[in-house]
Amino acid sequence: MMSSTFTQWLNFSIPGALHLLGILVLALLVNRFLRGLTNSLIRPAAAQSRAAQAREQQTRTLASALHGAGSKIVWGVAILTALPEFGINVFPAILVIGLIMLGLGLGARNLFRDLIAGFQIVFEDQFSVGETIQTPHASGKIEHLTLRRTVIRDSRGALVTLANGDLRTVGNLSRDWSQAFVDIAVPLDEPLERALQALEVASAALRSDPSWSQAIVDGPRVLGVQSYGPMGSTFRIQVRTAPTRQDEVSRELRRRIQMEFQRQDIPVSKAHDLERAPTFHEPEEKTQV
């Protein structure tokens, strides 16, 4: 009787053991594949800049989080698959887990939306820590970025927290170049050619100044008469600068224009000069979205 029982247990345990071994090997292989897949998401820093290093660290952190979550799922499925070999019915456990996941999904829809948007922001390199962005809600320099939220410092110095799922339209003001327009109004009785010549002189002086060569990408260019009205003629000057340096270049351009107008005794109209910084409504600007 003992020999028969041992033989029956042995016949049952060998297939079961092989099945358990197969589950273990498969889980290890899937886990290894998952590790390689998540490591491929890491973006090594192409430069030694702070922004490049921060982006590499972000992708490493996200890859590690993805692998950790995926590994837990793999081992959870492996355990549930192995439990029937020990005579345990896993259907109630699967039902409970499914109900829990359904409840979490319904209660945390916004959280999942923010997390998915965060993955897209990081892996598509839409923006990163240290860059300046413009959104319909706020604008400023990014100081902190996670999968769930983006924290920026606005012009008032306030820290503004934005949910990534709410960032439908974002202008990245730190990529490639920035652009600004300076409008100068002169009275009607002032000859146009004389005013244009003075603007060209001031623009050329700034354009050829070596101390501003790192800030200026293109221009300043005098585009000509932008508008004409009872207060006088308005001339527009365009300048493209290194990212986020358009304000300081515009201020220096205004100063040089004022000095040149004073030297040539050219009056300025009562209409105020106007600089238009890049916004979403400017068709002439270039922004990375």
Side-chain angles (χ1 to χ4, degrees):
M1 183 179 297
M2 292 181 59
S3 177
S4 176
T5 302
F6 176 76
T7 303
Q8 184 179 2
W9 179 84
L10 184 64
N11 291 335
F12 171 79
S13 63
I14 290 178
L18 292 176
H19 188 202
L20 292 176
L21 181 61
I23 292 173
L24 177 62
V25 171
L26 183 60
L28 290 173
L29 290 176
V30 173
N31 205 34
R32 191 178 186 87
F33 172 77
L34 187 63
R35 169 66 72 180
L37 184 63
T38 54
N39 284 342
S40 67
L41 299 176
I42 297 175
R43 299 290 183 268
Q48 296 300 318
S49 64
R50 181 174 175 269
Q53 296 291 335
R55 170 159 171 73
E56 179 181 354
Q57 185 58 41
Q58 285 176 347
T59 55
R60 287 188 182 278
T61 301
L62 294 182
S64 178
L66 278 176
H67 177 263
S71 180
K72 289 180 176 62
I73 294 175
V74 169
W75 287 114
V77 172
I79 292 173
L80 290 176
T81 306
L83 286 179
E85 296 296 333
F86 300 95
I88 300 175
N89 185 8
V90 298
F91 179 76
I94 294 176
L95 182 61
V96 171
I97 292 174
L99 292 175
I100 292 174
M101 295 299 295
L102 179 61
L104 289 175
L106 294 176
R109 286 177 297 177
N110 290 338
L111 176 61
F112 291 145
R113 182 198 62 176
D114 295 341
L115 293 176
I116 293 173
F119 276 115
Q120 292 176 334
I121 289 170
V122 172
F123 291 118
E124 293 178 2
D125 193 21
Q126 297 177 14
F127 49 81
S128 59
V129 174
E131 294 185 326
T132 301
I133 63 172
Q134 184 177 33
T135 75
H137 310 287
S139 301
K141 186 177 181 179
I142 301 173
E143 296 208 349
H144 190 58
L145 175 62
T146 67
L147 287 182
R148 191 178 63 83
R149 64 193 181 113
T150 298
V151 181
I152 66 175
R153 179 83 63 177
D154 68 7
S155 58
R156 301 168 300 168
L159 280 176
V160 181
T161 300
L162 304 172
N164 290 334
D166 294 332
L167 299 179
R168 300 294 184 181
T169 305
V170 180
N172 191 330
L173 305 180
S174 298
R175 301 285 176 90
D176 300 334
W177 45 265
S178 297
Q179 179 168 272
F181 298 92
V182 175
D183 290 354
I184 303 296
V186 298
L188 282 174
D189 55 355
E190 181 64 31
L192 294 181
E193 292 302 323
R194 185 162 173 258
L196 282 170
Q197 183 182 9
L199 294 174
E200 289 285 1
V201 170
S203 300
L206 180 59
R207 191 164 52 240
S208 59
D209 191 336
S211 62
W212 288 92
S213 60
Q214 298 297 320
I216 297 176
V217 174
D218 182 58
R221 298 179 181 274
V222 181
L223 300 182
V225 179
Q226 178 67 17
S227 63
Y228 182 81
M231 299 301 296
S233 302
T234 300
F235 298 90
R236 170 159 292 184
I237 303 174
Q238 175 197 39
V239 60
R240 290 180 180 175
T241 71
T244 71
R245 300 196 64 180
Q246 69 273 16
D247 290 339
E248 58 181 301
V249 173
S250 297
R251 285 191 289 268
E252 176 63 16
L253 179 59
R254 285 198 194 91
R255 186 184 71 84
R256 291 174 182 257
I257 291 173
Q258 182 180 359
M259 292 176 60
E260 186 62 27
F261 274 26
Q262 290 174 347
R263 190 181 69 82
Q264 296 191 30
D265 196 25
I266 299 176
V268 178
S269 174
K270 293 180 181 180
H272 298 291
D273 66 347
L274 171 67
E275 177 204 355
R276 302 198 317 180
T279 65
F280 288 117
H281 305 291
E282 282 292 337
E284 299 167 285
E285 69 162 336
K286 175 184 178 182
T287 57
Q288 299 264 340
V289 176

